[in-house]
Amino acid sequence: MDLPLVWELFLAAVWMQVGCKADVHDRHGSVTHLPMKDVLLLKDEADPKCFSRTEYDFTCFFETPDNKTYDFFYKIDKEKRCDLSVQRTEEESFLHICIFHPDDVYMLVLTHLRVLEAGTNTTLYTRNVSVEDQVLLDPPTNISQCHTGLPGQLQLTWHVDKAWENKVNYGIRYSSNMLGEKNKEGDREQLDTLTSLVPGEVLEFQIRINIGLYETKGHWSHWSQPVATMVPQSADDISLECYTSDLHNITCQWDENIYKEVTYKLFYRLGPSKSLAWTECLKNWNLSDQCGFHGDEIQVVQVKLGVSGSPAPLDRTFYSDPFILNGSIKTAPPRHLKENIDRGTLCLSWVAPLPALSDHLLYQVHYHTREGGPWLTVSSKGPETSTCLEGLTGSQYNVQVRAKPNGIVYSGQWSDWSLKLSGSIPSDMGALVISCIPLLMLVLAIVFISLIPRYLSKLKKILWPPIPNLDKVLQGFLAEINGPTWDPPFASKQCLEENPASVVEIMCTEDAAAGLEKPPNESAPLLIPDGCFSVGEQVDWNPDGTLEVSQDYVTLSTVDAVPSLQKGNEYIYEHVAECRGLDNGPKVGGVQQAATTPDCSSIATCTSGMDILNRSYLLTADCSRDRGLDPGPTDASGGSDKRYTNMDSLKHQSTDTMG
C-alpha cells in the first residue's frame, strides 16, 4: 500500500476519535463530551453535579479516581436508570456522565438522584435538584466599549441571546493599575456605564451572566474574554483650554509636548445632546497645537482631542467639560498702559481690552522694583482702568496689567499680561530723613542704654546722696560737751566774717579790778550795777542772772574816753556822751567828741540795768602795746592815740606780724 495513503487513513482515524470527544451539542442542547472549563466551573458543587444549557436538557456527572462501574438512578414520579459514559481527564481521573432523556426534563419539579457502586450496591451519592436552578449559560459576546464624553467614564456594550436577554443578571469584573480589581452585579442598566475610573489608565474588563428569574439563581457563566481600553482623560491633562475673546469666535489650544507619540486633532459639537456627531476643527493657521471655530453666545459647546473621531480602544482621548461662551471669556491684554508720577506715587492708566465688557472686568497689576526680585500683585475691586502704587520712591520698576470678567454676568479666565512698562521714580529726601528718624532714635537709645551701667552709680550718688553716720559725726562734739570745761581758743575775728562780735560790758573800775584778782581759768560772775558794765570778749549768762566774764577784757576810762573819728571807721554813741555831760567837746561830722584819757578806763553810760550796747571795740593804744600790737599814730600833743580802732587795722597788723 502506498505510504501517503496509509498516513491519510491514520489521520482520518485520529480525527474521528477526537471528533467523538468534541464539545458537540445535539438538537436538544445536551452534550456528549464535557469541556474541562465546565468541570472546573462546577467543582464546588455537590456530587453529582448537574447543569442545563437551554432548560430543555439536563446533564449530571461525577468524578472518580478509578474506572469502576457505577449505577446512576433518577426519580421524578418513578425511578429510572441512566446509562453512564466515561471520560478520562488530564489528571488521569474519570468523569461519569449521565444525559437525561428530553422527556424526563421537567421544570419546577424536584428530581431525586442516587449513585450506587455496581456489584456492592453501596450508595455513593444522593441529591435532590431542579432544572431551573441548574441553568448554565454561555457568556456574553461582542463586548466593546464607547466614551460617554466625560473623563473617567466608559460605557460598555455586549450581546446576549434574545431568549435570555430579559431573564439574566450580569456581573462585571474590571481592573487597572491604580484602581485594582473591582466586581459589580446587577441588571444591564446598572452596569453598562463605569464611572470613577482613573483617567489615562488601561482598563481591562469582563462580563458574565446567570439566570435571574428565580429566588435560587442558576450557575454563573464563564467570564467573557477580557477587553482592554484606555480610560478617557480630562482636557487639563494636556492643557487644553478653549475661550472666546469677542463672544463669537472660539479658540482652543493645547500643549502637544505632553504626549508626543501621536498628533492629535480637535473635534467639537454644538448643542447639549450627546447624540450629536463630532465635527473636526480645521486648522487655519500653521500651528499644530491651536484651532479655532465659530460659536454662538448661548450655545453649549464641548470639544475633545484625539487621534480620530472614533478612537481605537487604546488611543488617548481628552474631553473638556461642556461650556457656553459667556463663561469662557479670555480677553486680550489691556492696551496703552501709561504712567504718571506724582510726589513719589506711581499712577497707572490703561484702556479696557473689550469695550463691550468694560463694566464687567476686573484688573490685576503686578510689579517689581529690582531685577530678579519678587513680583508683587495688586487687584482692583471694580472696573476702573487706573490705580496708584506707593512706596516705589527712589527705585526702578517694571509693571504689567491683565484683565478678567468679574463672574457676575460674564466669567472666564485671566488674560495674558500686557506689555511691560519700565521706569524709575526719583528719591524723596524728606521722606528719607523722616524714615531715618526712627533709626537714629534707636541708635541713641542703644548708646544711652550702654552708658547707663557706667554712670548709674554716680547718678545714684547725685540723686540720692548717702546718709551720714550721726554716731561718727557727733562723737567728738558730745565728748567735748561732757568734759569738765569748755574753753574755746582765742581767735582773731576778721571784720569780713559774719561772726558775732565780742561782748562789751561797761562796768566800774573797782569791779574790773576785782575781776582781775580771779584765777585765769575761772570766770567771774558779775552782777551788773546800774550804770556800769564790764568789758570782755566772751560772756555767758548764769542761771542766777549774773554774767560770767572771761579774763580778756579792757577797762575804759570815763574821763578822757573820747573816740576820734579821724578815719571815719570808728563808732561812737552820742547818747553815751550826752548822758555823761560830754557836750563841751568838739564835734566831728555833726557828732560831739568826748575827751579822752591815756589810761584804760571804762566809759560810764547812763544806761541802767541790762541795757547793754553790744558793739565791737578794740584795745586802746596803750593796751595794744601791752598785747604786742601796734599802738598806731600819736596825736599832735605827743600823747598816745587812745581811740578804739576798727577790726581792719588789727587784721593788717596780724598779717604783717605773720609775715
Side-chain angles (χ1 to χ4, degrees):
M1 184 179 294
D2 192 4
L3 183 61
L5 181 59
V6 174
W7 277 106
E8 287 180 5
L9 294 174
F10 175 75
L11 291 175
V14 172
W15 180 84
M16 292 177 65
Q17 191 73 11
V18 173
C20 294
K21 297 183 179 180
D23 186 10
V24 179
H25 295 265
D26 61 12
R27 60 185 181 91
H28 299 290
S30 60
V31 297
T32 59
H33 179 79
L34 290 180
M36 288 306 300
K37 62 178 183 179
D38 293 343
V39 176
L40 295 176
L41 182 64
L42 302 176
K43 66 178 181 178
D44 295 330
E45 294 289 326
D47 289 324
K49 301 174 176 60
C50 300
F51 64 90
S52 172
R53 295 288 189 183
T54 64
E55 291 186 341
Y56 299 101
D57 67 288
F58 200 59
T59 303
C60 296
F61 67 93
F62 59 93
E63 184 178 5
T64 61
D66 52 25
N67 193 12
K68 292 183 179 181
T69 303
Y70 297 92
D71 294 328
F72 188 95
F73 298 93
Y74 63 92
K75 180 180 180 182
I76 299 174
D77 53 354
K78 61 179 180 179
E79 190 174 58
K80 296 181 179 180
R81 184 177 182 277
C82 179
D83 295 332
L84 297 177
S85 61
V86 180
Q87 178 180 322
R88 186 187 295 270
T89 65
E90 296 178 356
E91 289 80 10
E92 298 300 327
S93 60
F94 297 91
L95 296 177
H96 304 270
I97 304 170
C98 171
I99 299 175
F100 281 63
H101 192 275
D103 295 337
D104 294 332
V105 177
Y106 294 92
M107 298 287 293
L108 304 176
V109 176
L110 286 178
T111 302
H112 179 70
L113 306 179
R114 186 162 61 99
V115 178
L116 302 177
E117 185 177 352
T120 61
N121 290 331
T122 303
T123 302
L124 190 61
Y125 303 111
T126 59
R127 187 184 180 192
N128 293 325
V129 295
S130 61
V131 176
E132 64 273 9
D133 293 337
Q134 308 299 320
V135 176
L136 178 61
L137 301 178
D138 293 327
T141 58
N142 298 331
I143 297 175
S144 62
Q145 55 80 30
C146 60
H147 297 169
T148 63
L150 296 176
Q153 292 186 5
L154 283 174
Q155 187 172 5
L156 307 182
T157 60
W158 60 85
H159 174 72
V160 177
D161 192 341
K162 290 184 178 181
W164 302 103
E165 190 172 5
N166 298 323
K167 300 179 181 180
V168 295
N169 291 320
Y170 298 91
I172 297 178
R173 178 172 64 184
Y174 58 98
S175 62
S176 64
N177 291 334
M178 295 183 62
L179 188 65
E181 183 175 312
K182 291 184 176 297
N183 289 273
K184 289 184 177 181
E185 295 180 2
D187 56 24
R188 188 167 194 149
E189 294 180 356
Q190 295 174 339
L191 302 178
D192 63 348
T193 301
L194 299 180
T195 60
S196 303
L197 304 178
V198 180
E201 280 198 340
V202 175
L203 182 75
E204 188 177 89
F205 63 94
Q206 296 173 285
I207 302 175
R208 66 179 181 175
I209 59 175
N210 73 345
I211 193 70
L213 291 177
Y214 313 104
E215 294 182 359
T216 56
K217 299 178 181 180
H219 303 295
W220 278 107
S221 69
H222 298 285
W223 288 106
S224 64
Q225 294 295 323
V227 177
T229 185
M230 181 71 69
V231 179
Q233 297 178 243
S234 171
D236 297 335
D237 294 345
I238 200 170
S239 300
L240 172 62
E241 59 179 12
C242 297
Y243 57 86
T244 177
S245 58
D246 56 5
L247 297 178
H248 298 290
N249 296 306
I250 303 173
T251 301
C252 297
Q253 59 185 15
W254 60 92
D255 187 359
E256 63 179 359
N257 295 322
I258 298 178
Y259 298 99
K260 300 180 180 180
E261 61 270 13
V262 294
T263 300
Y264 294 98
K265 298 179 182 180
L266 185 73
F267 301 87
Y268 67 92
R269 61 186 178 188
L270 303 177
S273 177
K274 294 183 179 181
S275 61
L276 294 174
W278 292 94
T279 303
E280 184 177 355
C281 178
L282 301 178
K283 298 180 180 179
N284 298 325
W285 307 283
N286 295 324
L287 298 174
S288 60
D289 58 354
Q290 186 171 334
C291 186
F293 57 94
H294 183 76
D296 194 354
E297 184 176 348
I298 60 174
Q299 275 188 326
V300 177
V301 182
Q302 187 179 18
V303 298
K304 74 173 181 178
L305 196 67
V307 177
S308 63
S310 299
L314 297 180
D315 290 341
R316 293 184 183 273
T317 306
F318 306 89
Y319 288 91
S320 70
D321 294 330
F323 63 91
I324 58 176
L325 298 189
N326 287 354
S328 301
I329 298 175
K330 181 181 179 181
T331 65
R335 298 172 288 121
H336 306 304
L337 180 60
K338 298 179 181 180
E339 84 279 4
N340 181 25
I341 300 175
D342 183 15
R343 297 180 182 179
T345 301
L346 176 62
C347 294
L348 302 172
S349 62
W350 56 87
V351 177
L354 188 59
L357 302 180
S358 59
D359 295 335
H360 304 278
L361 295 179
L362 298 175
Y363 298 95
Q364 237 181 28
V365 178
H366 78 159
Y367 63 95
H368 70 119
T369 57
R370 63 179 185 275
E371 193 67 28
W375 286 88
L376 304 177
T377 303
V378 178
S379 299
S380 66
K381 297 182 180 180
E384 294 80 9
T385 57
S386 62
T387 188
C388 292
L389 302 177
E390 298 180 353
L392 303 181
T393 304
S395 61
Q396 295 182 348
Y397 61 85
N398 295 301
V399 182
Q400 290 178 296
V401 185
R402 64 179 180 177
K404 176 185 178 182
N406 57 17
I408 299 176
V409 179
Y410 299 94
S411 60
Q413 54 186 308
W414 286 108
S415 68
D416 295 331
W417 290 106
S418 65
L419 296 177
K420 186 182 297 184
L421 177 65
S422 301
S424 61
I425 300 177
S427 301
D428 187 359
M429 297 305 297
L432 182 62
V433 172
I434 293 175
S435 63
C436 291
I437 290 177
L439 180 60
L440 180 61
M441 294 180 65
L442 179 62
V443 172
L444 292 177
I446 294 175
V447 173
F448 179 75
I449 293 174
S450 63
L451 294 178
I452 283 179
R454 181 181 299 178
Y455 295 98
L456 183 61
S457 59
K458 296 182 180 180
L459 184 62
K460 286 183 178 180
K461 290 181 180 179
I462 294 174
L463 297 178
W464 301 282
I467 300 175
N469 191 346
L470 296 179
D471 294 339
K472 294 183 179 180
V473 173
L474 300 177
Q475 183 176 5
F477 179 76
L478 295 176
E480 291 180 357
I481 292 178
N482 296 330
T485 58
W486 186 51
D487 296 331
F490 174 78
S492 177
K493 301 183 190 309
Q494 306 296 327
C495 64
L496 296 178
E497 296 180 1
E498 295 181 358
N499 294 328
S502 300
V503 177
V504 178
E505 182 181 3
I506 303 173
M507 64 182 180
C508 298
T509 306
E510 293 81 2
D511 296 336
L516 292 173
E517 294 178 0
K518 290 182 179 291
N521 293 331
E522 294 183 2
S523 299
L526 297 177
L527 294 175
I528 303 175
D530 295 339
C532 296
F533 297 91
S534 61
V535 179
E537 292 184 351
Q538 306 257 352
V539 294
D540 293 299
W541 288 96
N542 289 328
D544 56 357
T546 62
L547 286 174
E548 186 180 80
V549 182
S550 63
Q551 62 186 10
D552 295 328
Y553 64 92
V554 64
T555 303
L556 301 179
S557 175
T558 60
V559 179
D560 51 1
V562 183
S564 65
L565 300 174
Q566 296 177 356
K567 296 183 179 181
N569 57 358
E570 290 83 16
Y571 303 94
I572 190 166
Y573 300 90
E574 292 180 347
H575 66 280
V576 176
E578 292 175 357
C579 289
R580 295 301 303 247
L582 299 178
D583 56 352
N584 56 351
K587 292 182 178 181
V588 179
V591 180
Q592 184 176 359
Q593 295 182 353
T596 61
T597 58
D599 56 348
C600 299
S601 62
S602 64
I603 300 176
T605 65
C606 63
T607 59
S608 62
M610 296 300 292
D611 187 11
I612 301 173
L613 298 178
N614 187 9
R615 295 291 184 266
S616 298
Y617 294 91
L618 291 180
L619 299 178
T620 60
D622 294 340
C623 294
S624 299
R625 281 191 298 266
D626 296 338
R627 291 175 177 271
L629 301 175
D630 190 333
T634 59
D635 57 7
S637 62
S640 63
D641 188 1
K642 298 180 182 180
R643 60 183 175 82
Y644 289 91
T645 63
N646 196 353
M647 293 283 290
D648 292 337
S649 62
L650 180 58
K651 179 179 179 181
H652 292 302
Q653 293 176 8
S654 300
T655 304
D656 295 339
T657 304
M658 293 174 66

